[in-house]
Amino acid sequence: MHDIRVIRENPSEFDAVMARRGLAPVSGHILKLDEERRSKILAAETAQAAQNKAAKEIGAAKASGDTALFEKLRDEVAAQKAEVATLQVEAKTLDAALTEMLGALPNLLHDGVPVGADEADNIEVRSWGTPATMNFSAREHYELECVKLGMDFETAAKLSGSRFVVLSGSVARLHRALAQFMLDTHIEENGLTETWTPVLVKEEMMYGTGQLPKFGEDSYQTTNGWWLVPTAEVTLTNIVNGMTVEENTLPRRFVAHTQCFRSEAGSAGRDTSGMLRQHQFEKVEMVSITHPDKSLEEHDRMTRCAEGILEKLELPYRTVVLCTGDIGFGAIKTHDIEVWLPGQGKYREISSVSVCGDFQARRMQARFKPADGGKPQHVHTLNGSGLAVGRALIAVLENGQQEDGSVILPKALHPYVGGKTTLNVDGSLS
């Protein structure tokens, strides 16, 4: 959500920033609607004042016994009351239209976001690790002998349809171990507060983080109006919805492991093999609520938290800053972390860490009270995967694969699987 006062003061600058996202000038439409709304509000207030004045005069006329004046004033008040009601309805309608228009516009971009059309124009800022040289043809995760018994797409399709999976045995254990490892690392080493939240939320919570109204088709809604969360970003960020917190309580850093649900609208034909792109999956999500002056610094810190998980898992990765044509709706700046997948012979996204400025906070009405006693200000919000559990499982399986179809597990996972080091061809751990 954008501050209408900023648009009033700098309409051309607002249009210029929107143009970086490929949008046509829109400030003229916004300001026209804003002016009509303000005009109706002023007219309603003026009519209300006249009504109040006439109402006072009615009493005096009645007390004086002036029947003609009393009836005249009574008719005027009735007409003014009807006029006020009409103007208030019109103002409310215009206000809703303005809110809808502002709510459909993406966030402003940080000056450091590179200009580009799509993911091909993202800029690598660093990389870690060297993809292993394999003296055999690398296979994708679902092709590995040790995985086939524990990763069942046919049964999942019978149960739910395409883009679902049933995990069992050692593969399911590894999936669980990865989530536990990520949580422990973020809590014990990165200072995040473990949080458990619902996966069903009210519509206003989806609006607060920007999933609605524009991206409703990307998520699932229940028959009674709840929404299934596409990520715990929705619940963790909305913890401060409608709140004014003390400055000395910032930053607030949360982490949660949840099921996530996405319709994958518009992704037909993309990543249909394996479990890379699913309707239901798990993520360990990080969210920070910060002071505006600290949000970019926090963005770098959160990125390092996600990168650190990959380093502990001995998985080569690269970090890119997203360009103007690839960045998300609510972000002012985003780092994508891409892990190396030998089976595909390419880097694939495993974490997206975004700073949203006050964009979500305005939608949620989330503020902080400055320590010096100044006027409350909107907080800044950030979110990022730390990591996508299923994709981490894919990366561990593919990077640790051996020629015989077994997988050597990274040392960081050994304590989480009873000291076992290998996923054997028969699907057992040893």
Side-chain angles (χ1 to χ4, degrees), residues 43 61 68 73 78 100 128 140 196 218 253 274 293 344 369 402 416 420:
L73 290 171
E100 181 179 0
W128 183 92
E140 294 201 54
W196 190 92
D218 294 328
R253 295 168 174 153
D293 294 344
Q344 294 191 11
K369 188 184 300 181
Q402 305 299 300
Y416 293 89
K420 306 297 193 298

Side-chain angles (χ1 to χ4, degrees), residues 17 57 83 100 103 168 195 199 201 254 348 353 368 391 416:
V17 176
E57 292 174 350
E83 181 184 7
E100 181 179 0
S168 62
T195 313
V199 294
V201 295
F254 306 109
R348 297 300 301 263
V353 185
F368 72 94
R391 292 195 175 193
Y416 293 89

Side-chain angles (χ1 to χ4, degrees), residues 27-39:
S27 65
H29 299 292
I30 293 172
L31 294 179
K32 182 175 184 295
L33 190 57
D34 179 48
E35 180 57 36
E36 292 175 358
R37 177 187 68 94
R38 295 167 74 189
S39 177

Side-chain angles (χ1 to χ4, degrees), residues 61-374:
K62 187 175 183 179
S64 68
D66 191 335
T67 303
L69 179 59
F70 170 76
E71 292 178 351
K72 175 177 177 293
L73 290 171
R74 184 183 60 188
D75 291 342
E76 286 181 4
V77 168
Q80 288 162 346
K81 185 176 182 180
E83 181 184 7
V84 168
T86 298
L87 289 169
Q88 287 177 337
V89 169
E90 290 174 348
K92 187 175 181 180
T93 300
L94 290 168
D95 187 67
L98 179 62
T99 299
E100 181 179 0
M101 184 179 291
L102 291 173
L105 291 173
N107 202 353
L108 304 177
L109 296 176
H110 185 267
D111 291 341
V113 174
V115 175
D118 52 36
E119 62 183 20
D121 296 319
N122 295 337
I123 295 178
E124 182 177 312
V125 292
R126 61 182 159 271
S127 63
W128 183 92
T130 303
T133 300
M134 298 178 178
N135 57 7
F136 57 91
S137 180
R139 285 167 283 184
E140 294 201 54
H141 59 288
Y142 56 89
E143 298 173 323
L144 296 170
E145 290 300 324
C146 62
V147 172
K148 289 180 179 178
L149 293 176
M151 191 175 288
D152 188 346
F153 298 100
E154 291 184 5
T155 299
K158 178 183 71 174
L159 296 172
S160 305
S162 62
R163 296 188 189 272
F164 290 92
V165 66
V166 171
L167 302 180
S168 62
S170 297
V171 176
R173 185 177 183 182
L174 283 174
H175 188 264
R176 173 168 54 89
L178 280 163
Q180 188 65 55
F181 159 71
M182 293 174 195
L183 279 175
D184 286 350
T185 302
H186 288 312
I187 296 161
E188 296 170 6
E189 299 182 20
N190 298 331
L192 279 64
T193 299
E194 183 172 8
T195 313
W196 190 92
T197 66
V199 294
L200 287 167
V201 295
K202 300 174 182 178
E203 188 162 293
E204 53 264 38
M205 301 299 110
M206 293 283 281
Y207 178 84
T209 46
Q211 279 76 24
L212 294 178
K214 188 164 184 169
F215 301 104
E217 66 173 7
D218 294 328
S219 297
Y220 295 105
Q221 186 177 26
T222 65
T223 54
N224 63 352
W226 284 330
W227 289 80
L228 286 164
V229 296
T231 162
E233 170 199 347
V234 177
T235 48
L236 294 177
T237 309
N238 274 291
I239 286 174
V240 294
N241 189 312
M243 294 174 60
T244 300
V245 302
E246 298 293 335
E247 181 180 350
N248 62 11
T249 67
L250 301 176
R252 299 187 177 193
R253 295 168 174 153
F254 306 109
V255 63
H257 168 219
T258 66
Q259 296 280 350
C260 305
F261 305 87
R262 293 184 185 172
S263 69
E264 294 294 346
S267 66
R270 296 178 61 196
D271 305 315
T272 56
S273 299
M275 59 178 292
L276 193 68
R277 192 179 296 275
Q278 301 276 281
H279 291 307
Q280 177 182 341
F281 56 97
E282 294 183 24
K283 267 211 302 178
V284 172
E285 184 76 2
M286 307 178 292
V287 162
S288 288
I289 312 297
T290 74
H291 188 285
D293 294 344
K294 300 293 185 180
S295 59
L296 289 175
E297 177 183 322
E298 185 72 6
H299 186 222
D300 290 335
R301 191 201 66 82
M302 289 178 69
T303 301
R304 281 300 303 146
C305 288
E307 291 171 339
I309 296 291
L310 291 171
E311 291 172 14
K312 286 177 178 291
L313 291 173
E314 306 165 46
L315 298 173
Y317 68 84
R318 67 172 194 157
T319 301
V320 300
V321 57
L322 298 193
C323 70
T324 55
D326 196 33
I327 193 169
F329 177 81
I332 64 173
K333 185 180 180 183
T334 297
H335 291 148
D336 267 11
I337 305 171
E338 301 173 346
V339 67
W340 175 253
L341 297 184
Q344 294 191 11
K346 64 173 68 172
Y347 288 96
R348 297 300 301 263
E349 178 199 335
I350 194 168
S351 174
S352 191
V353 185
S354 298
V355 54
C356 300
D358 64 1
F359 186 76
Q360 293 177 328
R362 289 185 179 280
R363 300 169 80 98
M364 298 186 303
Q365 293 303 305
R367 298 179 172 88
F368 72 94
K369 188 184 300 181
D372 63 8

